Amino acid sequence: MSLEPPYRLAPDATAAALASRHRDLGAGEETNETVTVAGRIMLRREMGKLVFATLRDSSGGIQLFAGAKWTADFEAFGRLSLGDWIAATGEVVRTRTGELSVKVREWVQLAEARRSFGDKFRGISDVDTRYRQRYADLWANEESRRALLLRSRIISWTRRWLEDQGFVEVETPIFHPMPGGAAARPFVTHHNALDTDLYLRIAPELYLKRLVVGGFERVFEIARVFRNEGLSPRHNPEFTMLELYQAYADYTDMMDLVERLVAGAAEEFLGTTEVTYGGRELSLGAPWRRATMTELIEEHAGSKVDLNTPAEELRQVAQSAGVRVEPGWGPGKLLLEIFEKTTEASLWGPVHVMDYPKEVSPLARDHRSRPGYVERFESIVAGRELCNAFSELIDPDEQRARFEDQARAKASGDEEAMAMDEDYVRALEYGLPPTGGIGVGVDRLVMLLSDSDAIRDVIAFPTLRPEIFTSDT
């Protein structure tokens, strides 16, 4: 056998294709079909002059059946280590014990695995190792591979679904001259040629709405966004958002859209809208419940509060719930903090939480019948926010006033407040029609449909504290 791995290889079969093609092959039968398969050796056992190994490729696993009488360099084959990449050529047979196999005639080692993939039955169990060394985790833990494959398929299906609804996919800048589109602390970098600071986008919202001004009536972007925030089972500093905007729509249209999107994805990938998440039943079929934030606070926290509640009473309710109240918070911010502390996590849902305070919603349109509130909702599923949506603010004068309020908050120390965006106000002065918009957390949708508890399980390479390498790492 050659000691030098080939520069290229052309396998002509996969494990899954062979299993499908020869599902009716009986025990002990042969096919007279010669194939070349390639992948990693993940299990191996010796029985005298026979060696059985499981070769795993991206589609699944198939047994390799090697024997001293017919396999070239049989002794070297028997010395292969778990994790080694090989290519094997031979006839497809089913052994007397009923295992579909490739009867190895020739083989070549493609790469040596110098590190272990963990226990052959339990894979890699150390959580830190799994996330840091995802390249090993994907081979050792089948559930990791399934979650990331599901993620890819959900994103691909979502694109097709939106295009079928008449939406156009667009790309907007990742570098922004100022942070905007959401309340979050940004990452900042410096552009040397322009000698200016730029910000990694925290949301594509303001650019997408500029495109609606420009005549794109239905646009969407599946966008990587960046927020300089902490880590948790629900948060990663870089994550994926689906944002879309639809002219002539309002937030009730966005409620309908997200219900159809999520229910459609559940049907596509799980075969049902009646799912189990975290061992608990959850119905994703439309329609979802619609309730105001104040109604839900009263139901779950027993506090009848709203924007007309005296500020001191709101502060007392918030403090008694464990909220660290800041001096500059108005009634809208207090109401939001009370909701998030007392109610959000207990909403199994799914439920559209409607009508947020204007104070905490600088890009949403005033509510048509509730002064002080805006037409905004967040969809809570299994105790977590899945999406955030508005009837979009279209009045340039009102938008300027909201930005000015945000600028004052930023000057007072609120690092998550938005900055004044003069160009966006100018765009609104050209005219933005009535528009509905929504941002869906793609990672959280994948978590939901894969029954994953942590966002790191559905991101290939989650953000971690930098590793310190030593000579024996």
Side-chain angles (χ1 to χ4, degrees):
M1 303 296 296
S2 171
L3 297 178
E4 178 71 18
Y7 279 83
R8 67 181 300 274
L9 189 78
D12 56 20
T14 66
L18 292 175
S20 175
R21 193 152 67 235
H22 299 294
R23 66 169 65 91
D24 297 327
L25 189 66
E29 292 184 353
E30 301 177 348
T31 65
N32 292 320
E33 177 187 4
T34 297
V35 299
T36 297
V37 292
R40 284 192 190 270
I41 298 294
M42 297 306 294
L43 289 173
R44 181 173 54 81
R45 68 185 189 278
E46 298 182 33
M47 299 177 62
K49 296 297 183 178
L50 300 177
V51 173
F52 298 89
T54 297
L55 180 137
R56 189 181 301 165
D57 62 19
S58 61
S59 72
I62 189 166
Q63 180 170 270
L64 301 182
F65 175 30
K69 291 183 178 181
W70 64 81
T71 302
D73 206 354
F74 173 77
E75 291 185 0
F77 187 91
R79 292 194 298 269
L80 288 170
S81 298
L82 298 184
D84 285 350
W85 288 85
I86 75 163
T89 300
E91 183 185 0
V92 180
V93 302
R94 195 175 292 279
T95 64
R96 288 194 297 271
T97 59
E99 191 74 26
L100 187 67
S101 307
V102 173
K103 188 176 180 180
V104 180
R105 185 179 72 240
E106 297 175 349
W107 63 279
V108 61
Q109 186 172 2
L110 305 176
E112 177 187 2
R114 299 185 182 184
R115 291 176 180 261
S116 169
F117 282 89
D119 183 280
K120 66 180 180 180
F121 296 110
R122 290 187 292 274
I124 298 173
S125 57
D126 180 75
V127 172
D128 189 67
T129 301
R130 288 185 56 213
Y131 296 139
R132 289 191 186 279
Q133 300 178 32
R134 186 69 90 182
Y135 36 82
D137 174 50
L138 290 172
W139 289 103
N141 297 302
E142 184 62 28
E143 65 273 15
S144 297
R145 181 192 294 259
R146 284 196 296 267
L148 294 186
L149 283 173
L150 179 62
R151 178 193 181 95
S152 175
R153 290 165 181 162
I154 288 172
I155 292 173
S156 178
W157 177 87
T158 299
R159 280 193 168 95
R160 296 194 305 272
W161 189 87
L162 287 170
E163 289 167 352
D164 288 345
Q165 311 299 311
F167 285 87
V168 176
E169 184 174 14
V170 297
E171 294 177 310
T172 62
I174 291 177
F175 288 139
H176 288 189
M178 63 189 67
R185 185 178 179 182
F187 289 95
V188 62
T189 188
H190 189 78
H191 190 287
N192 291 330
L194 295 177
D195 191 24
T196 188
D197 285 343
L198 294 172
Y199 302 87
L200 294 182
R201 68 178 170 199
I202 57 177
E205 175 168 345
L206 301 186
Y207 283 95
L208 290 171
K209 287 191 283 191
R210 285 174 170 94
L211 291 175
V212 179
V213 170
F216 283 77
E217 295 178 357
R218 296 189 180 203
V219 294
F220 78 94
E221 183 171 14
I222 297 176
R224 202 70 169 175
V225 296
F226 309 86
R227 299 183 183 180
N228 201 344
E229 59 188 13
L231 302 171
S232 82
R234 295 181 295 169
H235 298 93
N236 193 69
E238 57 172 313
F239 58 100
T240 304
M241 288 283 291
L242 162 65
E243 286 218 14
L244 63 88
Y245 293 86
Q246 179 178 337
Y248 321 125
D250 67 2
Y251 77 146
T252 64
D253 295 297
M254 296 300 100
M255 293 179 205
D256 293 336
L257 186 147
V258 74
E259 289 173 7
R260 290 187 291 114
L261 173 65
V262 175
E267 286 279 7
E268 176 72 16
F269 297 103
L270 305 179
T272 179
T273 58
E274 303 302 311
V275 305
T276 300
Y277 184 78
R280 186 173 171 185
E281 292 182 356
L282 179 64
S283 178
L284 300 177
W288 296 0
R289 184 187 177 193
R290 304 181 182 191
T292 67
M293 177 187 290
T294 51
E295 289 171 343
L296 292 166
I297 292 173
E298 184 175 1
E299 284 181 20
H300 290 266
S303 300
K304 193 177 177 76
V305 291
D306 59 25
L307 294 179
N308 295 318
T309 303
E312 183 55 37
E313 183 179 337
L314 283 174
R315 281 192 288 271
Q316 290 175 358
V317 173
Q319 288 170 339
S320 65
V323 176
R324 294 182 59 181
V325 176
E326 299 291 336
W329 288 358
K333 176 64 172 175
L334 288 166
L335 197 61
L336 176 63
E337 292 291 330
I338 291 168
F339 168 74
E340 291 183 344
K341 194 71 173 181
T342 66
T343 304
E344 183 176 81
S346 62
L347 297 175
W348 192 247
V351 58
H352 300 305
V353 182
M354 302 169 57
D355 303 353
Y356 277 62
K358 180 176 178 178
E359 179 185 344
V360 294
S361 311
L363 299 171
R365 192 169 183 176
D366 284 346
H367 198 283
R368 66 195 78 183
S369 62
R370 298 187 71 196
Y373 295 91
V374 295
E375 295 196 347
R376 170 186 173 187
F377 74 89
E378 290 187 1
S379 299
I380 307 299
V381 185
R384 294 170 175 163
E385 174 198 342
L386 179 65
C387 69
N388 185 24
F390 313 148
S391 296
E392 300 297 330
L393 178 55
I394 64 174
D395 183 331
D397 297 328
E398 174 68 12
Q399 185 63 79
R400 178 180 294 279
R402 303 265 193 100
F403 278 150
E404 289 171 348
D405 288 341
Q406 288 287 297
R408 283 189 288 271
K410 183 177 285 290
S412 299
D414 185 350
E415 295 180 326
E416 296 188 349
M418 299 181 196
M420 170 63 73
D421 189 332
E422 291 285 359
D423 179 69
Y424 179 68
V425 174
R426 179 171 60 188
L428 292 184
E429 290 172 345
Y430 281 91
L432 175 67
T435 297
I438 191 168
V440 179
V442 171
D443 312 279
R444 293 187 182 178
L445 178 59
V446 178
M447 288 171 63
L448 179 66
L449 297 184
S450 64
D451 195 9
S452 298
D453 186 57
I455 193 171
R456 292 184 295 182
D457 290 332
V458 299
I459 296 176
F461 300 102
T463 302
L464 301 169
R465 189 180 299 277
E467 187 175 8
I468 298 175
F469 282 84
T470 61
S471 59
D472 60 348
T473 299

